Amino acid sequence: MLKIADIEMKNQVVVAPMAGVSNPAFRLIAKEFGAGLVCAEMVSDKGILNGNKRTREMLFVDEREKPLSLQIFGGNRESLVAAAKVVDQETNADIIDINMGCPAPKINKIDAGARWLLDPNKIHEMVSAVVDAVSKPVTVKMRIGWDHDHIYAVENARAVESAGGKAIALHGRTREQLYTGRADWDIIKEVKDSVSIPIIGNGDISSPEEAKRRLEESGVDGIMIGRAALGNPWMLYRTIEYLEKGILVADPTPEEKMRIAILHMDRLIALKGEGVAVREMRKHLSWYLKGLKGSARIKDAIMEGTKRDEMVDILNNFLENLPRNESNSEEESKDIDQEPINTDCAC
């Protein structure tokens, strides 16, 4: 099993931190579908220290989500350390993760996120400063490099390890790639072979079979799943079952998908109130509906809905009129999946 410091996960499946997505409602569903570790979306060190209400709310951890990793970012050593102390002393997160992968210009221009990938010395300095200041284990999520001319993945991983970092989640793309092209698992394997701390591989894990193949070929300690779990927590359960038992569980029925979608919405409403939550759920419902025959026909209603009961009625009416035993066409899948994850801040 995956083990970070003295925290042992029940399996090797980790859910990625995704901006605008990885709140407690999403994370709890991921945990109920079996995820060994869930990660909260990244939080600004300055936001934590300034007492920003919304930022502080992002530090909330439901006990049912544990073990949980809470991710912070920043470019200044003093403020990053101070924010890490807040997470260490004032939250019940199990792990403090430092973001070194965010490609967003607004993050990189403050010398944070993926900007660190150009300087192993800065990585060592920043990680060691945080490690020395907190009692919780410190981990890092990073990309393999800034661009194809600046890939220092091994050097950066060794800097994390020598600074006292307890694990690395490594996305097999450069900052320049964003989410285009393919993740380079050869570099992930090279990093795994170069350090002794756990490595969690991330990138293009879209099926249980792919997860198993990447684990076996790279030797990584865990698999991080991100976009493949959007509107599809069954991906987590199916992957765990396949890794542990060799069983490829069937995809969920449309009725089951809608049941979990409504549960997700109700939990989000409890967190944020109906107005904010329903608007935020529009993108999630697009993801839950992806692949279902005829889902493109209700996209406008979904994207305009403002009330919980209105959304439930739309979903129930959709189910009543859904052709049985048919999957959506590729064209319709693309149509309903019109609101992608915010790749500016999802790492």
Side-chain angles (χ1 to χ4, degrees), residues 229-248:
L230 296 175
N232 186 23
W234 297 270
M235 170 62 180
L236 307 173
Y237 174 72
R238 295 177 74 240
T239 298
I240 294 163
E241 289 292 294
Y242 190 67
L243 293 178
E244 296 183 351
K245 303 175 185 177
I247 298 171
L248 198 55

Side-chain angles (χ1 to χ4, degrees), residues 33-52:
F33 274 79
L37 176 67
V38 293
C39 304
E41 62 184 300
M42 66 180 190
V43 185
S44 161
D45 59 351
K46 298 292 198 302
I48 293 172
L49 298 178
N50 291 338
N52 180 288

